């Protein structure tokens, strides 16, 4: 059974940091791309970052480049999103999702999703 469980969200002040974790089970992490998405109230779900199955590609949304870092631990079957210098506009529910072999920005290319974790950046 494929499962993805996010954790690590919370309330943080602008300029602060959080590390999100996506713990996976039911499939081999190195055989699929994993994407991190976010959705703010009233907005569409957008891809924030993605790591390809062979770890050859790490994609970042322009607005998070230099602040967010995606990584994975295939032994622990976990994908991380380190978020530094957080801004109020980063506030959203963050989801991880399992895709195909390569990264994609299309929500429809990801078949399995976690339940999401709330990130709130506010003073």
């Amino acid at each position: 059974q494929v499962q993805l469980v996010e954790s690590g969200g919370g309330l943080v002040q602008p300029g602060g940091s959080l590390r999100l974790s996506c713990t996976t089970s039911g499939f081999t992490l190195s055989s699929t791309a994993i994407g991190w998405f976010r959705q703010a109230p009233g907005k569409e779900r957008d891809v924030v970052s993605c790591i390809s199955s062979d770890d050859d590609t790490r994609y970042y949304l322009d607005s998070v480049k230099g602040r967010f870092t995606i990584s994975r631990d295939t032994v622990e079957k976990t994908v991380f999103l380190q978020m530094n210098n957080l801004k109020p506009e980063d506030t959203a529910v963050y989801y991880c999702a399992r895709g195909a072999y390569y990264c994609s920005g299309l929500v429809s290319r990801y078949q399995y999703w976690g339940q999401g974790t709330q990130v709130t950046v506010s003073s």
Side-chain angles (χ1 to χ4, degrees):
Q1 182 180 1
V2 174
Q3 285 190 321
L4 301 96
V5 179
E6 303 93 338
S7 62
L11 173 63
V12 64
Q13 292 185 343
S17 298
L18 285 173
R19 187 175 82 155
L20 304 184
S21 298
C22 174
T23 303
T24 70
S25 61
F27 63 97
T28 302
L29 191 58
S30 58
S31 65
T32 63
I34 297 292
W36 280 101
F37 291 76
R38 68 186 180 188
Q39 187 167 21
K43 295 189 177 181
E44 294 184 350
R45 189 172 297 189
D46 292 323
V47 64
V48 175
S49 183
C50 176
I51 184 167
S52 62
S53 58
D54 58 4
D55 198 9
D56 191 53
T57 299
R58 298 189 183 190
Y59 165 84
Y60 297 98
L61 184 68
D62 282 348
S63 62
V64 307
K65 284 180 179 178
R67 301 189 297 122
F68 290 12
T69 303
I70 192 170
S71 62
R72 72 182 185 188
D73 183 331
T74 55
V75 174
E76 296 297 326
K77 299 183 179 182
T78 302
V79 178
F80 303 98
L81 186 67
Q82 178 67 43
M83 306 187 297
N84 298 328
N85 191 21
L86 282 160
K87 303 176 180 181
E89 51 263 42
D90 295 318
T91 296
V93 177
Y94 283 71
Y95 301 88
C96 63
R98 174 191 149 177
Y101 191 84
Y102 298 108
C103 284
S104 173
L106 298 176
V107 171
S108 59
R109 295 290 180 90
Y110 294 81
Q111 301 93 349
Y112 299 92
W113 293 79
Q115 82 289 349
T117 185
Q118 176 71 47
V119 171
T120 303
V121 185
S122 175
S123 55

